[in-house]
Amino acid sequence: QVQLVESGGGLVQAGGSLRLSCAASERAFTTYGKGWFRQGPGKEREFVAGISRVGTTLYADSVKGRFTISRDNAKNTVYLQMSSLKSEDTAVYYCAARRSTAVAGGPGEYDYWGQGTQVTVSS
């Protein structure tokens, strides 16, 4: 069972930046497809960004050009660099991993989830 722990959330002004981190407990994490999702107040969980084992990335249209997903296999960690933040980016952000090496955009395609970290963007 892979444990995922997110960190780096917080309160930021619109236009600012934050970097989220997700550390995994198992080395196998480096071979998995990984993703970031978010869930705003009263909204369904939505895909934000994903990265495959070989580094192929996928982004939601709403974050393209502003967010960057990356990973550090030596640290068993995946990151989400968020820039030019907007109030509509306010949400709980979740890290996820899937036993497939490919990236995917649906929450049902992921096997492991972190507990979430709150990101609040003030306007």
Side-chain angles (χ1 to χ4, degrees):
Q1 184 76 8
V2 177
Q3 306 294 326
L4 304 176
V5 179
E6 302 100 334
S7 61
L11 175 64
V12 63
Q13 289 188 334
S17 299
L18 278 177
R19 188 178 80 156
L20 305 183
S21 300
C22 173
S25 61
E26 301 293 331
R27 192 66 187 156
F29 179 73
T30 61
T31 68
Y32 292 169
K34 294 169 272 290
W36 286 95
F37 290 76
R38 67 186 180 187
Q39 188 164 14
K43 298 182 180 180
E44 293 186 353
R45 190 168 299 190
E46 64 174 359
F47 174 78
V48 175
I51 188 166
S52 73
R53 183 183 67 85
V54 297
T56 303
T57 57
L58 181 67
Y59 295 95
D61 288 343
S62 59
V63 306
K64 279 181 182 176
R66 300 189 298 121
F67 291 10
T68 302
I69 188 171
S70 62
R71 86 270 198 230
D72 185 334
N73 288 337
K75 295 183 178 180
N76 235 19
T77 300
V78 63
Y79 303 98
L80 184 68
Q81 178 68 48
M82 306 185 293
S83 303
S84 301
L85 283 161
K86 307 174 182 179
S87 58
E88 51 263 45
D89 294 319
T90 294
V92 177
Y93 283 72
Y94 297 90
C95 171
R98 59 195 303 256
R99 288 188 291 269
S100 169
T101 59
V103 66
E109 299 178 89
Y110 286 79
D111 302 296
Y112 307 106
W113 292 85
Q115 82 289 351
T117 185
Q118 177 70 47
V119 171
T120 303
V121 183
S122 63
S123 56

